[in-house]
Amino acid sequence: MNSSDELMQPVSAEELVELEDFLLSEKTSENAMTLDMVDGYLTAIVVGPTTPLPDDWMPYIWGMDDDKAPEFASDEEARRLTLIILRYMNTIAGALIDNPDAYLPLFDRCTYANQEDEDLAVESWAYAFAMGIELTREEWKPLFDDDEASGLLLPIFILGKIGEEWDDIAKEELDEWRDAVVEAVAGIYEFWLSDRFGDGE
């Protein structure tokens, strides 16, 4: 199996648990992402106007700029976990290519111990999606400047509480915005399709 084939292998549930366990362990910074954050972050990278190099986006999964580096047990562990992340990004991309309307964020594919954990997962996903936008904020400007398309970001910014004005929204309204995430992601993906394939205006 060559490296290209390896990167396209689907990620198993067991591998995602392995990644999550590492992210939550003392081997990483307290600012390392949770798995829900990784899902939102990678989704933003996949649906955006351009794909930054892994060296530009991978470090933020492990924490902030001045945080300690992850303490991998070996070079093999570092390679394995990095490969899981890259394959997971490709899995998200593949799902969107196959059918953008069928995309589901991780929080809609998981069960949680209680409502509080589930609400935190949704907020974390959306917040990390916004982090993914910030990686290439200038390239995202055409979407922000489009009066209609920019509305696609509203569910994500509200759920991620990007701005103080969203702090006091009622739970019932938040649930409605949560239901709008799938349509928002599909719409953002389709907005940038022409740019992705090089035939945009």
Side-chain angles (χ1 to χ4, degrees), residues 35-49:
L35 193 59
D36 287 293
M37 292 183 75
V38 171
D39 188 74
Y41 184 64
L42 294 181
T43 299
I45 293 171
V46 166
V47 302

Side-chain angles (χ1 to χ4, degrees), residues 27 71-80:
K27 296 179 179 179
E71 298 174 0
F72 298 111
S74 63
D75 290 343
E76 176 56 31
E77 182 181 52
R79 179 186 180 279
R80 175 176 173 77

Side-chain angles (χ1 to χ4, degrees), residues 16 35-36 39 88 103-110 112 125:
L16 288 181
L35 193 59
D36 287 293
D39 188 74
Y88 190 39
Y103 164 83
L104 286 177
L106 183 63
F107 59 75
D108 275 342
R109 293 183 276 121
C110 292
Y112 297 88
W125 182 96

